[in-house]
Amino acid sequence: MKHFEFVNDRLIVLDQRKLPFQKEYVVCKTYQDTYTAIKDMIIRGAPLIGIVAAYGVVLGFKEIIEKNLEKDKIHDVIVHLSKSRPTAVNLFWALDRMKSTFERIKDMDKIEIYKQLLNEAKKIESEDKNINRKIAEYGNQLIKENSNILTHCNAGALATGGYGTALGVIREAHFSGKNVHVYVDETRPYLQGARLTAFELSEDGIPNTVICDNMAGYLMKLGKVDCVIVGADRIALNGDTANKIGTYSLSVLAKHHGIPFYIAAPTSTIDFSISSGDEIPIEERDEDEVRIFNGQKIVPDTSNVFNPAFDVTPAENITAIITEKGIVYPPFKQNILKLKD
Ligand code: MRU
């Protein structure tokens, strides 16, 4: 099975918390289940969060039919889902699409509304897969033969409808015959790099080496990194980009060492309503994610813990942003606006 699938009015998702050693699925029967899947990071990654939320709206409407509630109750469902995680704008983008679809068809009978909401969610899913392929093709133009590429977190198939953004570019380079090797930041505290990215790359036979997050600078100093490619959770109009915590530090290191730093993301990750990264809400997660490692306490109870899930990389540290509509170079402010439909 794929990493998620909507079948028989249920959304079945692969539990990413258990990877790579256990393949367990969680069945979402209600919109509250999809809320939990997003909030508890059973699934994660900006584009996938959007897709799962869209299916959450479908499940919410199913409940409206079953309990014979007012159609407009769907707005409460959308508000609830919007509170699952704050940073990835794809969540709000997908919910807005579902809301506009509902507004357009709300006078139809309930069964027809359900069908059309389901179609819209499926469209969001299939569009994302195609978008990733386009990002991969554009991004591959930037990858030189025999490259050592460093990536952070997981911007792969698992984080999207399929194929991946940053990992999509790397896959495309590999499958088009380029000899590439990937340094994978382990990405504390949730270990998306060690558990998910290394898993995806290894499954595809792409040579990879996992490093602890604090080793990237040393590798760069040794001249072992040719470029950095990461995904994004929200991009502001000026190009400032929120991504997994640690991305900012990498960008500073890359700039210092004169290494190209690329963001790969769909245009649904661009928040055209904000002018800079200062306006991006940064999620803070439970301190136990840092305090406890592998079920074991590793921090003295008397110490405080800080656990921001994202940081913002300033546009000046970014060489280019790879989207499905092409590669965007500075000046970002001017060029990002051209991507607006
Ligand atoms: O907390 P996560 O695992 O949802 O964070 C994921 C990331 O930061 C990814 O790099 C980003 O969402 C892009 S995924 C294509």
Side-chain angles (χ1 to χ4, degrees):
M1 208 193 99
K2 303 183 292 187
H3 59 296
F4 68 97
E5 196 163 17
F6 193 84
V7 271
N8 299 330
D9 295 339
R10 281 152 192 225
L11 182 69
I12 302 166
V13 297
L14 178 61
D15 189 343
Q16 298 195 19
R17 298 168 306 180
K18 306 274 171 69
L19 287 173
F21 298 114
Q22 282 160 270
K23 256 195 161 181
E24 283 177 25
Y25 288 89
V26 171
V27 180
C28 301
K29 295 182 194 150
T30 64
Y31 76 90
Q32 289 94 340
D33 292 341
T34 57
Y35 169 88
T36 305
I38 298 169
K39 191 172 176 48
D40 291 354
M41 293 177 71
I42 295 170
I43 64 94
R44 26 67 50 205
L48 184 57
I49 289 171
I51 294 166
V52 167
Y55 282 116
V57 175
V58 174
L59 292 174
F61 203 78
K62 183 177 77 119
E63 198 170 309
I64 287 171
I65 296 176
E66 285 166 356
K67 295 189 177 161
N68 200 19
L69 304 172
E70 292 295 317
K71 293 173 186 174
D72 267 354
K73 280 269 171 218
I74 200 66
H75 293 302
D76 298 344
V77 169
I78 291 172
V79 169
H80 184 71
L81 288 166
S82 74
K83 293 187 177 146
S84 52
R85 289 189 79 187
T87 305
V89 78
N90 307 63
L91 169 70
F92 308 97
W93 170 88
L95 289 174
D96 276 353
R97 253 179 86 159
M98 296 304 283
K99 191 174 167 181
S100 318
T101 304
F102 172 75
E103 289 301 332
R104 200 166 21 83
I105 59 175
K106 65 180 177 196
D107 294 331
M108 296 178 176
D109 71 70
K110 281 180 173 172
I111 300 294
E112 190 53 33
I113 294 175
Y114 176 81
K115 278 191 201 155
Q116 297 219 18
L117 288 176
L118 179 57
N119 276 346
E120 189 65 14
K122 284 186 175 163
K123 217 166 133 201
I124 291 174
E125 175 188 338
S126 64
E127 281 174 12
D128 188 64
K129 287 181 189 154
N130 295 334
I131 283 168
N132 285 343
R133 293 284 175 166
K134 290 199 184 118
I135 291 173
E137 278 167 29
Y138 282 118
N140 190 17
Q141 297 168 11
L142 299 169
I143 308 297
K144 302 200 175 84
E145 178 63 82
N146 297 319
S147 281
N148 282 294
I149 304 166
L150 192 144
T151 192
H152 190 67
C153 194
N154 172 266
L158 288 166
T160 61
Y163 212 61
T165 56
L167 281 201
V169 173
I170 293 169
R171 281 199 163 94
E172 195 70 11
H174 171 80
F175 290 121
S176 66
K178 286 179 190 164
N179 179 28
V180 293
H181 164 264
V182 187
Y183 284 111
V184 181
D185 270 2
E186 65 172 355
T187 320
R188 274 277 286 154
Y190 190 82
L191 301 173
Q192 289 95 329
R195 296 187 305 102
L196 310 176
T197 297
F199 170 68
E200 281 198 40
L201 290 170
S202 300
E203 290 252 301
D204 274 355
I206 304 173
N208 65 93
T209 304
V210 174
I211 57 166
C212 299
D213 299 326
N214 48 2
M215 297 172 185
Y218 177 61
L219 274 184
M220 289 182 187
K221 186 154 187 266
L222 293 178
K224 287 186 182 289
V225 178
D226 297 303
C227 69
V228 178
I229 310 179
V230 295
D233 287 84
R234 196 185 290 228
I235 301 171
L237 267 187
N238 68 347
D240 289 353
T241 296
N243 190 50
K244 180 52 54 196
I245 189 76
T247 305
Y248 165 66
S249 329
L250 273 184
S251 77
V252 174
L253 284 169
K255 192 171 188 181
H256 178 80
H257 291 92
I259 296 168
F261 188 92
Y262 301 121
I263 300 286
T267 49
S268 55
T269 303
I270 300 172
D271 186 343
F272 291 97
S273 75
I274 58 169
S275 52
S276 89
D278 295 342
E279 294 169 69
I280 300 177
I282 299 295
E283 176 183 15
E284 274 184 43
R285 294 190 61 84
D286 196 304
E287 59 179 46
D288 278 355
E289 289 182 358
V290 175
R291 238 177 233 295
I292 298 169
F293 187 84
N294 224 4
Q296 234 6 70
K297 266 191 192 176
I298 54 164
V299 177
D301 291 337
T302 43
S303 293
N304 299 318
V305 157
F306 179 44
N307 185 19
F310 301 96
D311 57 27
V312 175
T313 296
E316 74 234 34
N317 291 2
I318 298 170
T319 312
I321 301 173
I322 308 155
T323 77
E324 77 277 15
K325 295 186 180 169
I327 303 172
V328 184
Y329 292 97
F332 287 122
K333 213 173 199 160
Q334 207 165 307
N335 293 336
I336 285 177
L337 265 181
K338 291 186 197 150
L339 300 174
K340 207 170 175 190
D341 286 331

